[in-house]
Amino acid sequence: MDPLIRLVRAYQRCQQAARKLRISGKLLRKIGPNLDRYIRSRYRGSAREDIYQETLWAIAEGLDDFKGKTDKGFMKWCFGIARHKVVDELRKGGRDKTVSLNDGEVWRAIESLNSEEPLSAQDRLTLKECMQAVAVVKPPCFDFLLSRYIDGLDYETIGNEHGISARGAWLAVDRCARLARKLLGE
Amino acid sequence: MKGIMPDEDEEIKALKAKLEKLADRVRRGWAKLHPVTEAQLAEVNRRLLEKWQQEGIYQAEKGTSKGKDKSKQAKPAQIQKPKTKDHDQGHSH
């Protein structure tokens, strides 16, 4: 059984409040940062923290009823909740939105692991090349690459976000990767 | 997706593999820099307890479980506040 699903099932089986809170806390700690990054890359307004908090709450509230059987399905469900919270907020009119994480934020995340996992010169070069690949393409390509490779969303979810089919999303990601490759080569 | 997607050339495959590597490090680094805070968890816990109390489900004490089935409930469950003696609550990894 997938590790997140194992926690979800333990939560659902448990009938004791304190233990349920412990399990949901463990689960939210594992998935929270991914959702935080997802929300930050789609919304930069003043309500960002509220969106994040509401997302965590909605996930916790729905845990007892989650029927999926894989971590992939679970994360898809969680990202779907986050996406709806962002869309709800944007509908309220607060369209203070940027579509991307900035380079600085991403590099800080990369460098934060240096003490336990130092980057070799080759790895650093590789990661810089990747950053450049993502940076050289403009929206919507940036969004497609970010969604697929940083957020790890599946093609169906990316397609839903952009109003296209899963196959359309796959083709878009592939086209954007080719474009990035081409621009890097120029 | 298999079968309906075009073949990828080696160069694109290599770039995608590098992007996956980047993504893995970004995800782990992000989790280290931006963990879920105790305050955020406490708020979720507070609302969960409030909900359970309203619905009369889930016991706070061990061995007195009544489950989610409200029809079997004789009386509302006892609820305790989220910050108890739970050792795991304070953990962050």
Side-chain angles (χ1 to χ4, degrees), chain A residues 110-119 124, chain B residues 25 32:
Chain A
I110 289 170
E111 302 278 2
S112 72
L113 297 175
N114 279 354
S115 56
E116 54 264 51
E117 296 175 46
L119 277 173
R124 184 173 292 275
Chain B
R25 186 150 178 130
K32 185 180 176 186

Side-chain angles (χ1 to χ4, degrees), chain A:
Chain A
M1 193 185 288
D2 290 350
L4 294 177
I5 290 298
R6 191 176 299 131
L7 283 173
V8 173
R9 293 291 173 261
Y11 178 91
Q12 291 172 341
R13 279 195 305 269
C14 180
Q15 302 292 313
Q16 205 255 336
R19 184 160 155 67
K20 277 183 96 72
L21 294 182
R22 248 191 344 262
I23 300 170
S24 63
K26 197 171 176 182
L27 197 55
L28 292 179
R29 281 193 186 94
K30 282 181 186 289
I31 64 173
N34 286 331
L35 300 167
D36 173 55
R37 195 187 55 251
Y38 178 88
I39 292 166
R40 283 185 202 229
S41 65
R42 285 156 181 81
Y43 180 89
R44 287 300 176 110
S46 56
R48 182 179 57 75
E49 284 187 21
D50 291 340
I51 294 172
Y52 185 36
Q53 183 73 59
E54 285 304 308
T55 300
L56 294 177
W57 158 241
I59 289 166
E61 190 186 23
L63 274 180
D64 264 326
D65 299 317
F66 180 77
K67 302 278 195 301
K69 292 175 179 169
T70 63
D71 281 5
K72 201 173 161 188
F74 179 67
M75 285 313 298
K76 188 176 171 181
W77 177 69
C78 294
F79 280 124
I81 289 173
R83 178 173 166 247
H84 280 112
K85 297 293 178 191
V86 169
V87 170
D88 285 350
E89 189 57 38
L90 291 174
R91 279 190 187 136
K92 287 181 192 169
R95 285 191 171 268
D96 179 11
K97 185 200 174 199
T98 55
V99 292
S100 63
L101 296 173
N102 65 44
D103 287 4
E105 285 175 304
V106 176
W107 266 113
R108 269 196 297 282
I110 289 170
E111 302 278 2
S112 72
L113 297 175
N114 279 354
S115 56
E116 54 264 51
E117 296 175 46
L119 277 173
S120 68
Q122 182 58 47
D123 281 347
R124 184 173 292 275
L125 200 67
T126 301
L127 293 183
K128 271 204 184 310
E129 189 189 3
C130 292
M131 287 290 290
Q132 283 170 350
V134 177
V136 291
V137 292
K138 292 180 180 170
C141 264
F142 186 96
D143 285 345
F144 280 119
L145 293 180
L146 186 80
S147 296
R148 178 67 190 128
Y149 293 105
I150 305 295
D151 293 330
L153 301 183
D154 62 20
Y155 292 111
E156 191 184 343
T157 306
I158 297 171
N160 287 340
E161 285 198 342
H162 292 268
I164 56 179
S165 66
R167 185 171 192 277
W170 191 96
L171 290 169
V173 169
D174 187 68
R175 178 174 55 80
C176 292
R178 285 174 195 279
L179 176 64
R181 183 71 262 170
K182 185 178 168 224
L183 292 172
L184 278 174
E186 282 174 355

